[in-house]
Amino acid sequence: MGPFSAPDQGTTLPDVVDPAGGANQTRVRAHNERLVMSLVRRHGSLSKAEIARRSGLSAQTVSVIMRGLEGDDLLIRGEPMRGRVGQPSVPMMLNPDAVYSFGVKIGRRSADLVLMDFVGAIRLNLHQPYPYPDPDAILNFIVEGIGKIEQMLTATQRARIAGIGVATPFELWNWAAEVGAPAETMERWRTVDLAGELAARTRHPIHIQNDATSACGAELVFGVGASYPDFIYFYIGSFIGGGIVLNSALFSGRTGTAGALGPLQVPGPNGGTTPLLKVASIFVLENMLKAAGIDPRPLYYSAEEWIDFGPPLAAWIDSTASALARAIISAASIIDFGAAVIDGGFPAWVRARIVAATRSAVQELDLQGVIVPDIIEGAVGSEARAIGGASLPLLSRYLLDTSILFKETD
């Protein structure tokens, strides 16, 4: 039995530490097992021969690893592929029921809690809208929600939960006035120890990441990442954020804030400039609906069930697309991105309208000397932040960091 025995067997899973460090047998075996599972996850299913070719490991090593992972229920066999010379090839796949993880999205208008399986499918989810993010209320929602979901699971399923990944805006106390939140409530986010509070009230390991970075990571792992090794990512929530992917890995920069696209300057009123977040954010649409005498609260009931708000929505989409076009061309002037990916907390039909309008707006700009990236819809959707959060425990315990994963030999 290898070091990656399924969690319900009570095995402690070793972390892969800095690859530049010394390598002993246990660390090498752990690294190779993560590599095999990461390759299988990326490609959906792979045979032993394909894993050996892509990983550079010997066929014998791959056979030993795959037997161990299959014995631990982390890999399952697909149907044999016949029609070739020799023995039929047997593809191996991740077992969706081998591992689960909780993902949390904390937003300025709502929170989400999801239970995700080993292949990225959402099994259960809870949604909580609110007028502003109160730390105590959100902590209670997470803890009570985990309790509710775990009651729906079998003992074996509960034992296979790898951890909790939380995707949250950093410095939530900022922009209190813009979202109409009491300053004293928002100030409490300066001192709340989110990880510590959750660790004290749940039994699972806790992982914290910026919400937009989590969404970008979800797009890299579960979305367009297989097609575009370099892309800039925009996620339009209450405020817009994003991320940068270079060489099939998240790029966080010197201070960890690379891809924080909200402050990027775009044309504003009266010939000046304004931050992108003050144009291409759902809170702007919220204010436009209020000005038109329309109740904006349905924006936050369910991201997938927006109604067509008519002229205010159309005007917001046009202004958002114009700002996104400027931001995309500015970014493409610095880095030759293959794609600009647009997603957000809204239905697919709204995303499609924004992408189409952004493509049109780009063509109205002076593009001399600029190679325009493909402007495409995100593939993960409105739950990208929660899915990205739920990915954190899986990456920590079972899979390789994407910067290593995508260096496969092919």
Side-chain angles (χ1 to χ4, degrees):
M1 183 179 299
F4 287 95
S5 300
D8 58 314
Q9 297 172 336
T11 302
T12 300
L13 304 178
D15 290 329
V16 173
V17 294
D18 183 65
N24 57 37
Q25 256 187 341
T26 300
R27 282 182 53 194
V28 169
R29 185 171 65 251
H31 174 93
N32 288 342
E33 288 178 336
R34 289 188 184 218
L35 174 60
V36 167
M37 286 192 291
S38 297
L39 289 173
V40 171
R41 187 217 56 77
R42 183 190 182 196
H43 294 281
S45 65
L46 287 174
S47 67
K48 178 179 69 175
E50 288 174 321
I51 291 174
R53 179 173 63 85
R54 292 179 179 276
S55 67
L57 299 173
S58 70
Q60 181 180 5
T61 298
V62 171
S63 292
V64 171
I65 290 173
M66 292 177 71
R67 279 198 303 271
L69 295 176
E70 185 180 9
D72 293 338
D73 291 328
L74 292 168
L75 292 183
I76 55 177
R77 291 172 178 257
E79 292 296 322
M81 300 173 62
R82 304 181 186 278
R84 300 179 182 179
V85 177
Q87 293 293 322
S89 175
V90 179
M92 302 297 291
M93 301 170 288
L94 293 182
N95 178 6
D97 295 309
V99 187
Y100 304 96
S101 63
F102 285 113
V104 177
K105 181 272 293 185
I106 297 175
R108 294 173 175 84
R109 292 295 195 216
S110 65
D112 292 289
L113 172 66
V114 304
L115 180 72
M116 190 175 79
D117 67 24
F118 204 24
V119 298
I122 299 301
R123 297 295 186 91
L124 295 165
N125 62 354
L126 298 174
H127 176 71
Q128 180 64 57
Y130 40 67
Y132 53 84
D134 178 270
D136 292 334
I138 289 174
L139 283 166
N140 288 337
F141 165 72
I142 296 171
V143 174
E144 292 172 6
I146 288 173
K148 289 178 182 178
I149 290 176
E150 288 190 329
Q151 287 178 2
M152 304 178 194
L153 306 177
T154 66
T156 298
Q157 289 173 323
R158 288 194 295 270
R160 294 187 174 193
I161 296 172
I164 305 168
V166 181
T168 178
F170 292 164
E171 300 186 356
L172 256 173
W173 52 89
N174 287 331
W175 312 104
E178 280 76 4
V179 297
E184 60 272 18
T185 299
M186 300 303 287
E187 277 296 312
R188 288 173 54 206
W189 284 103
R190 288 184 184 270
T191 56
V192 67
D193 179 6
L194 195 60
E197 292 280 353
L198 287 175
R201 297 172 63 179
T202 68
R203 63 184 179 86
H204 305 294
I206 310 298
H207 306 264
I208 307 287
Q209 191 176 65
N210 175 264
D211 60 335
T213 302
S214 294
C216 186
E219 192 66 49
L220 170 61
V221 175
F222 299 111
V224 306
S227 302
Y228 293 95
D230 306 296
F231 63 86
I232 185 169
Y233 177 82
F234 299 88
Y235 188 92
I236 304 171
S238 295
F239 293 95
I240 191 170
I244 292 173
V245 169
L246 297 176
N247 298 320
S248 296
L250 284 171
F251 177 76
S252 57
R254 177 178 57 86
T255 62
T257 58
L261 301 171
L264 199 153
Q265 297 294 301
V266 297
N270 305 319
T273 61
T274 192
L276 179 63
L277 65 87
K278 291 191 175 182
V279 181
S281 294
I282 293 177
F283 96 92
V284 177
L285 173 59
E286 179 183 341
N287 290 334
M288 293 172 70
L289 292 177
K290 288 178 181 177
I294 301 172
D295 183 0
R297 288 178 297 177
L299 292 173
Y300 303 103
Y301 291 159
S302 171
E304 296 299 327
E305 297 179 4
W306 282 20
I307 62 172
D308 190 337
F309 292 98
L313 177 62
W316 176 75
I317 288 174
D318 286 344
S319 60
T320 292
S322 178
L324 286 173
R326 296 277 186 170
I328 290 168
I329 296 308
S330 295
S333 301
I334 300 171
I335 297 177
D336 184 18
F337 291 108
V341 183
I342 300 171
D343 212 337
F346 34 62
W349 61 268
V350 173
R351 181 179 62 211
R353 286 177 61 178
I354 292 173
V355 169
T358 303
R359 290 171 179 163
S360 296
V362 163
Q363 296 307 313
E364 298 175 2
L365 302 177
D366 183 352
L367 302 177
Q368 185 174 2
V370 179
I371 299 176
V372 180
D374 295 342
I375 300 173
I376 61 174
E377 297 182 45
V380 178
S382 60
E383 291 186 313
R385 292 170 292 181
I387 291 172
S391 302
L392 297 176
L394 303 186
L395 287 169
S396 174
R397 296 186 65 178
Y398 295 95
L399 305 173
L400 288 179
D401 181 87
T402 51
S403 63
I404 300 172
L405 166 61
F406 286 94
K407 288 179 173 59
E408 63 179 284
T409 59
D410 196 358

